């Protein structure tokens, strides 16, 4: 290791990478999270030693002792972001430093060691460089990057582990909406909550998602695409979807979104939407939004549009909301999106954000991080 946080990654190229022909066949229709590149990054950690043995190596199963702490007490965190080609043939990521910071906030909550931001960024650069030819050429496709870390110590005891493994794997993905952007339907779960004050809602830890699977299944049973959670205390206020944050667009053009009080994930897309909207002169309020306010606003015309946002789909219009107390469309009256279609403001914000990400529009905040 050289000075500071810089690690020198040892590069061990995969001796048997996927052939060009097979890779081309896989990239023709990659789907989401099904296929993976030839390499992975691994960095180890031990108390007293810090992060060590940074490597890029062939993607392969990781040997794991049955007493590895993560298998029992779920000390695990992850991130998700995309690398994509730019119009001039380069490769870029969107705000990876924000993912690095969130990774460390998740680590702090789960009593795990912080990973230097520089090491996080370096690890992404390394896998992108070595697996460059896995990035789909499709301008809507991308290479989904999954950095994660878990307690690898072999020990059955409820305390923070003393050894961890950090990895990055990469998965080429196609366009999220193959047939154009379509509004989703969401189910307000009456049975499950996602996170309580003081819990782990703001951390990106695997356990949050395991706990959400029953709620997502309930949403599917009710014919909905996604689940939306209400707050765990009063069961009145909108928190977020299973994997996306929520915004409403009001009739004066302003945006409202639930505040970051520790029960929802601080989405990087959420933050980007707020900053872009404010730059464009739109008012944005981060405040509690009750389901009742949404329902009544949809009926009166006060709420004109709704959308969900996150890395995977960027921005997804919300069309209909189903709940035990009845269903409603986002704009129930005789106005712009009466049939629960894709709202104008939603689609304009979506275009603005995607154009910045893809290098087709000016990047006012310096968010696009060039890799190659
Ligand atoms: C629970 C949850 N909320 C919100 C988001 C959106 O976050 P981001 O915009 O950083 O992808 C995600 C996805 O990462 C998520 O899993």
């Amino acid at each position: 290791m050289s000075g500071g946080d810089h690690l020198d990654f040892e590069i061990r190229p995969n001796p048997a990478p996927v052939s060009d022909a097979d890779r081309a066949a896989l990239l023709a229709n990659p789907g989401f999270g099904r296929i993976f590149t030839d390499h992975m990054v691994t960095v180890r950690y031990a108390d007293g030693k810090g992060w060590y043995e940074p490597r890029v190596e062939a993607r392969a199963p990781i040997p794991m002792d049955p007493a590895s702490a993560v298998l029992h007490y779920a000390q695990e965190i992850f991130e998700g972001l995309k690398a994509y080609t730019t119009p001039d043939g380069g490769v870029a990521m969107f705000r990876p430093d924000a993912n690095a910071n969130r990774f460390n906030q998740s680590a702090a909550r789960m009593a795990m060691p912080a990973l230097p931001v520089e090491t996080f960024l370096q690890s992404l650069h390394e896998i992108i460089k070595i697996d460059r030819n896995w990035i789909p050429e499709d301008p809507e496709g991308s290479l989904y990057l999954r950095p994660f870390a878990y307690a690898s110590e072999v020990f059955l005891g409820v305390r923070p582990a003393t050894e961890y493994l950090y990895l990055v794997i990469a998965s080429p993905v196609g366009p999220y909406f193959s047939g154009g952007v379509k509004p989703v339907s969401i189910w307000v779960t009456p049975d499950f909550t996602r996170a309580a004050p003081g819990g782990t809602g703001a951390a990106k830890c695997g356990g949050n998602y395991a706990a959400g699977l029953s709620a997502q299944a309930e949403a599917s049973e009710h014919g909905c695409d996604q689940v939306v959670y209400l707050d765990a205390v009063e069961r009145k206020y909108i928190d977020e979807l299973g994997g996306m944050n929520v915004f409403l667009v009001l009739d004066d053009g302003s945006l409202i979104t639930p505040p970051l009080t520790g029960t929802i994930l601080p989405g990087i897309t959420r933050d980007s939407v707020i900053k872009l909207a404010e730059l464009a002169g739109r008012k944005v309020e981060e405040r509690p939004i009750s389901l009742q306010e949404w329902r009544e606003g949809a009926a009166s015309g006060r709420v004109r549009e709704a959308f969900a946002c996150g890395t995977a789909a960027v921005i997804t219009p919300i069309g209909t909301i189903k709940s035990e107390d009845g269903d409603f469309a986002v704009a129930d009256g005789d106005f712009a999106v009466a049939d629960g279609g894709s709202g104008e403001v939603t689609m304009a914000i979506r275009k603005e954000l995607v154009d910045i990400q893809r290098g087709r529009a000016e990047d006012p905040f310096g968010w696009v991080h060039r890799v190659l």
Side-chain angles (χ1 to χ4, degrees), residues 102 194 204 209 240-245 265 267-270 309-311:
R102 189 171 64 189
R194 181 180 173 278
K204 209 162 163 61
Y209 297 81
E240 63 177 323
L241 269 52
M244 284 187 268
N245 296 116
L265 194 80
I268 293 159
T269 319
R270 175 189 181 280
C309 65
T311 296

Side-chain angles (χ1 to χ4, degrees), residues 319-330:
T320 45
I321 298 91
K322 296 189 182 184
S323 78
E324 276 196 327
D325 303 327
D327 306 345
F328 62 100
V330 161

Side-chain angles (χ1 to χ4, degrees), residues 328-342:
F328 62 100
V330 161
D332 246 341
D334 182 27
F335 38 90
V337 286
D339 61 351
S342 306

Side-chain angles (χ1 to χ4, degrees), residues 78-81 94 98-99 102 144 146 194 201 203-204 208-209 229 240-246 263-272 309-314:
F78 65 98
E79 270 303 325
L81 71 164
F94 186 70
N99 293 92
R102 189 171 64 189
Y144 182 78
R146 169 52 60 87
R194 181 180 173 278
K204 209 162 163 61
N208 283 348
Y209 297 81
Y229 294 99
E240 63 177 323
L241 269 52
M244 284 187 268
N245 296 116
V246 177
T263 60
I264 67 176
L265 194 80
I268 293 159
T269 319
R270 175 189 181 280
D271 183 71
S272 307
C309 65
T311 296
V314 189

Side-chain angles (χ1 to χ4, degrees), residues 40-196:
M40 64 182 183
V41 166
T42 56
V43 188
R44 294 177 182 282
Y45 176 93
D47 273 6
K49 196 166 173 181
W51 294 99
Y52 68 101
E53 259 180 44
R55 273 190 198 148
V56 179
E57 58 194 310
R59 201 183 79 86
I62 3 176
M64 193 180 251
D65 190 283
S68 296
V70 66
L71 296 178
H72 305 273
Y73 309 116
Q75 246 193 317
E76 187 267 355
I77 56 169
F78 65 98
E79 270 303 325
L81 71 164
K82 291 171 172 175
Y84 42 82
T85 51
T86 53
D88 60 0
V91 180
M93 292 185 281
F94 186 70
R95 306 188 68 184
D97 46 327
N99 293 92
N101 289 329
R102 189 171 64 189
F103 193 68
N104 282 335
Q105 283 157 17
S106 300
R109 179 64 184 83
M110 303 303 285
M112 294 170 68
L115 180 75
V117 170
E118 186 183 348
T119 306
F120 184 93
L121 296 177
Q122 254 186 294
S123 70
L124 302 178
H125 277 241
E126 294 294 348
I127 197 158
I128 291 168
K129 255 191 305 185
I130 199 159
D131 284 330
R132 162 76 177 89
N133 55 11
W134 282 94
I135 305 181
E137 289 304 327
D138 182 334
E140 299 294 317
S142 56
L143 187 64
Y144 182 78
L145 303 166
R146 169 52 60 87
F148 63 108
Y150 68 87
S152 55
E153 187 191 1
V154 177
F155 176 66
L156 291 185
V158 183
R159 57 138 172 82
T162 59
E163 290 168 21
Y164 297 86
L165 186 60
Y166 167 77
L167 299 101
V168 187
I169 53 173
S171 173
V173 299
Y176 191 86
F177 296 102
S178 39
V181 177
K182 279 194 217 71
V184 291
S185 53
I186 60 175
W187 168 249
V188 184
T189 175
D191 297 323
F192 302 104
T193 56
R194 181 180 173 278

